[in-house]
Amino acid sequence: MRAPMTLLWLSLLTATAAGETAPACWMPGDLAYHKGDERVQKVAARIAPPQRMLAAYSPTAQRGVIRRVKLTGDKKLVALTFDLCEQPSEISGYQGGIVDFLRENRIKATFFMGGKWMLSHRERTQQLMSDPLFEVANHTWEHRNLRVVPGQALVDEIKNAQVAYEQVREELKAKQCTGPRGNTLAHEQAPQRLSLLRFPYGACSAAALDEAAHQGLLPIQWDVSSGDPTFVQSARAIQHQVLTNIQPGSIVLFHANGRGWHTEGALPGIVAALKARGYEFATVSELLAAGEPVVAATCYDSRPGDTDRPRHPLPVATSPFGFGWLWHGVASRAATPAHTR
């Protein structure tokens, strides 16, 4: 017994020493918002997924999608989540002002990242995955509608996001540098694999749910959507939408990929109001650990069937800054403009 304990202590001491002597991965200016990062670029942007073996994992039981968490007692926790998705023919953005606000105010959050987005934003992905304030999760490879994608394409859409994450983490490990907080080597703060999944557009099929479970991923949806991908949804409207519908255990949907049009302006008011109500902020995994997940049999936005469409969503120009979506879901329970994921 003494020998294993000695080895454990030696490994911990070695890791601590490595963290204390390793250089920082990024200076504060590197972590901060850079003007123009938020722009969505409509360019020839095809990226191939890395060719590598996935880290070992075990399948999970398929039980539907988690919309929120039922908390016990008088706990008032909420999970703010931000999607970082990217289509096949674009390079989407990174809204660093949102991340700066979360860091400055020590607000925990979960980022659902597309695999292609991770590869086109490697440095930002590494910054997020190595920050203990944040949690990172799978948002599929190229943000396709998995309600209608079949067969191997469905398998690859989920798997390739995992592959991309593990590739970017390996590149971070090779740097042997410390992350945004503390003396820990950056890659040690990042999990070896992603364990949570969000389906694009809030849409899925029975086959998609089965495949997520087969790949060891827990599907996470939301019970409150901010409506921020709609350009006409103002910061004030986003605040109203979120604060009207939120409750203890809620999972709130935002975007930070250049299509959360007025999210940065809305967040300070939302956070201040929630703090005044006694809320605390948690990652999705922390929220799940604090209560009982509320599970739906299938995916939807605010009511069953509202994301079931006979066609793929198609991009259309809805603002001078980028693209919106041809069809939209219904914005939670409040009477606000329609929106999509």
Side-chain angles (χ1 to χ4, degrees):
M1 182 67 181
R2 181 174 298 177
M5 288 299 295
T6 301
L7 290 174
L8 176 61
W9 278 109
L10 285 174
S11 64
L12 290 173
L13 288 171
T14 302
T16 301
E20 289 175 348
T21 60
C25 296
W26 308 281
M27 295 295 102
D30 300 322
L31 295 170
Y33 163 69
H34 298 161
K35 185 176 181 180
D37 279 356
E38 72 280 6
R39 292 191 57 179
V40 177
Q41 304 173 54
K42 304 304 292 185
V43 296
R46 294 286 177 174
I47 299 176
Q51 299 300 308
R52 58 178 291 131
M53 294 291 293
L54 283 171
Y57 67 90
S58 299
T60 61
Q62 202 273 76
R63 55 174 180 166
V65 292
I66 295 172
R67 296 189 58 82
R68 56 180 304 272
V69 174
K70 182 179 180 181
L71 300 174
T72 58
D74 57 355
K75 294 179 183 176
K76 299 186 77 172
L77 297 177
V78 63
L80 305 184
T81 71
F82 299 83
D83 286 2
L84 295 167
C85 36
E86 187 166 285
Q87 302 293 315
S89 59
E90 69 177 12
I91 299 295
S92 66
Y94 171 77
Q95 291 174 260
I98 291 173
V99 180
D100 288 351
F101 172 80
L102 296 172
R103 283 191 173 120
E104 289 165 5
N105 292 276
R106 299 194 63 79
I107 305 298
K108 294 182 178 180
T110 300
F111 291 87
F112 287 86
M113 304 188 294
K116 181 171 171 286
W117 188 94
M118 295 183 223
L119 297 185
S120 63
H121 299 78
R122 277 174 155 87
E123 200 79 8
R124 294 305 194 180
T125 298
Q126 292 173 349
Q127 292 171 1
L128 293 174
M129 71 166 65
S130 60
D131 193 325
L133 200 60
F134 303 139
E135 176 177 40
V136 292
N138 185 324
H139 195 31
T140 74
W141 170 242
E142 290 180 323
H143 204 262
R144 302 181 190 277
N145 186 342
L146 298 194
R147 193 184 74 83
V148 295
V149 172
Q152 189 60 44
L154 168 60
V155 174
D156 290 344
E157 189 67 14
I158 297 173
K159 182 185 74 174
N160 286 341
Q162 296 291 105
V163 170
Y165 171 81
E166 291 176 19
Q167 175 65 35
V168 174
R169 184 185 183 276
E170 184 175 283
E171 294 168 3
L172 178 60
K173 180 179 180 180
K175 295 179 181 180
Q176 288 293 294
C177 54
T178 58
R181 301 177 191 275
N183 294 324
T184 305
L185 290 173
H187 75 278
E188 293 177 351
Q189 180 61 42
Q192 289 194 337
R193 70 181 307 272
L194 304 176
S195 60
L196 306 178
L197 167 72
R198 172 164 286 165
F199 290 110
Y201 312 109
C204 67
S205 63
L209 288 170
D210 286 342
E211 184 57 36
H214 177 73
Q215 295 196 34
L217 295 165
L218 195 61
I220 304 296
Q221 206 153 358
W222 55 85
D223 67 319
V224 179
S225 177
S226 66
D228 61 355
T230 301
F231 182 68
V232 297
Q233 182 88 322
S234 67
R236 179 174 293 183
I238 291 171
Q239 287 186 35
H240 176 76
Q241 169 73 10
V242 172
L243 295 175
T244 298
N245 292 293
I246 207 162
Q247 57 184 310
S250 280
I251 299 172
V252 189
L253 171 68
F254 297 99
H255 292 73
N257 67 330
R259 291 196 172 95
W261 299 112
H262 305 294
T263 309
E264 185 178 348
L267 273 177
I270 291 171
V271 167
L274 290 177
K275 284 183 175 180
R277 296 181 188 179
Y279 279 90
E280 297 180 17
F281 301 94
T283 65
V284 169
S285 291
E286 289 172 341
L287 189 65
L288 293 173
E292 180 183 350
V294 177
V295 180
T298 189
C299 301
Y300 59 92
D301 179 17
S302 60
R303 59 180 64 91
D306 61 9
T307 59
D308 293 347
R309 298 293 188 273
R311 61 185 183 279
H312 291 273
L314 300 174
V316 293
T318 56
S319 84
F321 307 106
F323 285 70
W325 300 103
L326 188 61
W327 59 265
H328 301 286
V330 180
S332 293
R333 297 183 292 276
T336 57
H339 58 275
T340 61
R341 311 292 59 82

